[in-house]
Amino acid sequence: MCDVILLALPFKEYERTIRGLAPLLREHNPNAVIVDIATVNLYTRGLLRSLAQGLFWLSTHPNFGPGAYKKRRSKIKGFEIFVVEHTLPPEIYQAVAAFVTACGFVVTIRDADEHDVTLAETLYVAQRTNQIWKEAGIKRTPFDTPSFRAMMDGCDML
């Protein structure tokens, strides 16, 4: 049995997965840690609160994706990981946060409501703009201005 279970799955699978996972952990490995890495945390955190009671879990949002990782040439230094809630004992949480920070990430504690509202506004605008530009066939040219290059860099990351 695993000591850390990373929930990297579609939203529609979260409830079913946690419902199946929680009893197994309670019986076979109650010290395991479930790590939620969803973009939107209110829903997933709510599932963890209700279905994983008595277990250790960490509700997070790595504030980057594969596009940003690739754009930075696989360098993680400075990427932010939001922590919205956890059930870890304080000394364990501090050790995990210190380890993740030592790896180069920035760990930031955020309120889940604030996180999700802000993300809904900013991520939606970025993703919708990217979709519009792709549908319109906007491409880089030899004459791009610095601001246009920066906007295209943003589209490349999505």
Side-chain angles (χ1 to χ4, degrees), residues 86 88-99 109:
H86 67 86
L88 299 175
E91 64 279 1
I92 301 294
Y93 173 76
Q94 291 303 324
V96 169
F99 173 76
I109 297 172

mmCIF file of all heavy atoms in Angstrom, residues 86 88-99 109:
data_model
loop_
_atom_site.group_PDB
_atom_site.id
_atom_site.type_symbol
_atom_site.label_atom_id
_atom_site.label_comp_id
_atom_site.label_asym_id
_atom_site.label_seq_id
_atom_site.Cartn_x
_atom_site.Cartn_y
_atom_site.Cartn_z
ATOM 1 N N HIS A 86 -5.454 21.150 5.171
ATOM 2 C CA HIS A 86 -4.834 19.839 5.375
ATOM 3 C C HIS A 86 -5.201 19.323 6.761
ATOM 4 O O HIS A 86 -5.663 20.082 7.613
ATOM 5 C CB HIS A 86 -3.309 19.906 5.212
ATOM 6 C CG HIS A 86 -2.616 20.694 6.276
ATOM 7 N ND1 HIS A 86 -2.232 20.134 7.474
ATOM 8 C CD2 HIS A 86 -2.262 21.997 6.332
ATOM 9 C CE1 HIS A 86 -1.647 21.057 8.220
ATOM 10 N NE2 HIS A 86 -1.661 22.199 7.559
ATOM 11 N N LEU A 88 -2.857 17.228 8.326
ATOM 12 C CA LEU A 88 -1.586 16.715 8.827
ATOM 13 C C LEU A 88 -1.255 17.323 10.189
ATOM 14 O O LEU A 88 -1.571 18.489 10.444
ATOM 15 C CB LEU A 88 -0.454 17.065 7.854
ATOM 16 C CG LEU A 88 -0.568 16.505 6.440
ATOM 17 C CD1 LEU A 88 0.563 17.040 5.570
ATOM 18 C CD2 LEU A 88 -0.550 14.994 6.459
ATOM 19 N N PRO A 89 -0.591 16.571 11.044
ATOM 20 C CA PRO A 89 -0.092 17.176 12.289
ATOM 21 C C PRO A 89 0.868 18.317 11.923
ATOM 22 O O PRO A 89 1.576 18.233 10.908
ATOM 23 C CB PRO A 89 0.654 16.029 12.967
ATOM 24 C CG PRO A 89 0.090 14.777 12.360
ATOM 25 C CD PRO A 89 -0.283 15.144 10.957
ATOM 26 N N PRO A 90 0.896 19.381 12.732
ATOM 27 C CA PRO A 90 1.726 20.555 12.388
ATOM 28 C C PRO A 90 3.173 20.227 12.053
ATOM 29 O O PRO A 90 3.724 20.763 11.084
ATOM 30 C CB PRO A 90 1.627 21.445 13.635
ATOM 31 C CG PRO A 90 0.347 21.033 14.284
ATOM 32 C CD PRO A 90 0.170 19.574 13.974
ATOM 33 N N GLU A 91 3.792 19.340 12.811
ATOM 34 C CA GLU A 91 5.213 19.047 12.549
ATOM 35 C C GLU A 91 5.393 18.305 11.225
ATOM 36 O O GLU A 91 6.389 18.514 10.524
ATOM 37 C CB GLU A 91 5.851 18.263 13.711
ATOM 38 C CG GLU A 91 5.290 16.871 13.958
ATOM 39 C CD GLU A 91 3.977 16.818 14.754
ATOM 40 O OE1 GLU A 91 3.442 17.873 15.139
ATOM 41 O OE2 GLU A 91 3.494 15.701 14.980
ATOM 42 N N ILE A 92 4.437 17.481 10.855
ATOM 43 C CA ILE A 92 4.507 16.775 9.567
ATOM 44 C C ILE A 92 4.280 17.762 8.429
ATOM 45 O O ILE A 92 5.007 17.760 7.429
ATOM 46 C CB ILE A 92 3.484 15.618 9.496
ATOM 47 C CG1 ILE A 92 3.724 14.606 10.610
ATOM 48 C CG2 ILE A 92 3.493 14.963 8.124
ATOM 49 C CD1 ILE A 92 5.016 13.842 10.513
ATOM 50 N N TYR A 93 3.283 18.636 8.586
ATOM 51 C CA TYR A 93 3.029 19.642 7.541
ATOM 52 C C TYR A 93 4.267 20.515 7.341
ATOM 53 O O TYR A 93 4.668 20.783 6.200
ATOM 54 C CB TYR A 93 1.817 20.519 7.879
ATOM 55 C CG TYR A 93 1.689 21.645 6.879
ATOM 56 C CD1 TYR A 93 1.196 21.396 5.599
ATOM 57 C CD2 TYR A 93 2.136 22.927 7.182
ATOM 58 C CE1 TYR A 93 1.136 22.411 4.661
ATOM 59 C CE2 TYR A 93 2.079 23.940 6.251
ATOM 60 C CZ TYR A 93 1.574 23.678 4.995
ATOM 61 O OH TYR A 93 1.532 24.678 4.041
ATOM 62 N N GLN A 94 4.887 20.963 8.430
ATOM 63 C CA GLN A 94 6.075 21.812 8.322
ATOM 64 C C GLN A 94 7.204 21.082 7.603
ATOM 65 O O GLN A 94 7.916 21.672 6.782
ATOM 66 C CB GLN A 94 6.529 22.294 9.704
ATOM 67 C CG GLN A 94 5.571 23.280 10.343
ATOM 68 C CD GLN A 94 5.330 24.515 9.487
ATOM 69 O OE1 GLN A 94 6.225 25.014 8.813
ATOM 70 N NE2 GLN A 94 4.097 25.002 9.498
ATOM 71 N N ALA A 95 7.377 19.797 7.888
ATOM 72 C CA ALA A 95 8.416 19.013 7.214
ATOM 73 C C ALA A 95 8.113 18.875 5.722
ATOM 74 O O ALA A 95 9.020 19.006 4.889
ATOM 75 C CB ALA A 95 8.547 17.637 7.865
ATOM 76 N N VAL A 96 6.860 18.621 5.376
ATOM 77 C CA VAL A 96 6.474 18.508 3.966
ATOM 78 C C VAL A 96 6.693 19.841 3.259
ATOM 79 O O VAL A 96 7.278 19.897 2.175
ATOM 80 C CB VAL A 96 5.001 18.041 3.828
ATOM 81 C CG1 VAL A 96 4.512 18.173 2.385
ATOM 82 C CG2 VAL A 96 4.846 16.603 4.312
ATOM 83 N N ALA A 97 6.229 20.934 3.867
ATOM 84 C CA ALA A 97 6.394 22.263 3.265
ATOM 85 C C ALA A 97 7.874 22.608 3.094
ATOM 86 O O ALA A 97 8.278 23.159 2.064
ATOM 87 C CB ALA A 97 5.685 23.313 4.106
ATOM 88 N N ALA A 98 8.693 22.267 4.078
ATOM 89 C CA ALA A 98 10.139 22.536 3.983
ATOM 90 C C ALA A 98 10.767 21.732 2.853
ATOM 91 O O ALA A 98 11.600 22.251 2.091
ATOM 92 C CB ALA A 98 10.818 22.209 5.310
ATOM 93 N N PHE A 99 10.357 20.470 2.708
ATOM 94 C CA PHE A 99 10.890 19.633 1.637
ATOM 95 C C PHE A 99 10.494 20.192 0.266
ATOM 96 O O PHE A 99 11.339 20.315 -0.632
ATOM 97 C CB PHE A 99 10.399 18.193 1.770
ATOM 98 C CG PHE A 99 10.778 17.318 0.613
ATOM 99 C CD1 PHE A 99 12.065 16.842 0.480
ATOM 100 C CD2 PHE A 99 9.845 17.001 -0.376
ATOM 101 C CE1 PHE A 99 12.430 16.048 -0.603
ATOM 102 C CE2 PHE A 99 10.195 16.215 -1.459
ATOM 103 C CZ PHE A 99 11.493 15.739 -1.582
ATOM 104 N N ILE A 109 -0.169 29.435 1.544
ATOM 105 C CA ILE A 109 -1.459 29.037 2.117
ATOM 106 C C ILE A 109 -2.521 30.004 1.607
ATOM 107 O O ILE A 109 -2.336 31.226 1.651
ATOM 108 C CB ILE A 109 -1.402 29.039 3.656
ATOM 109 C CG1 ILE A 109 -0.377 28.004 4.115
ATOM 110 C CG2 ILE A 109 -2.774 28.772 4.252
ATOM 111 C CD1 ILE A 109 -0.082 28.032 5.592
#
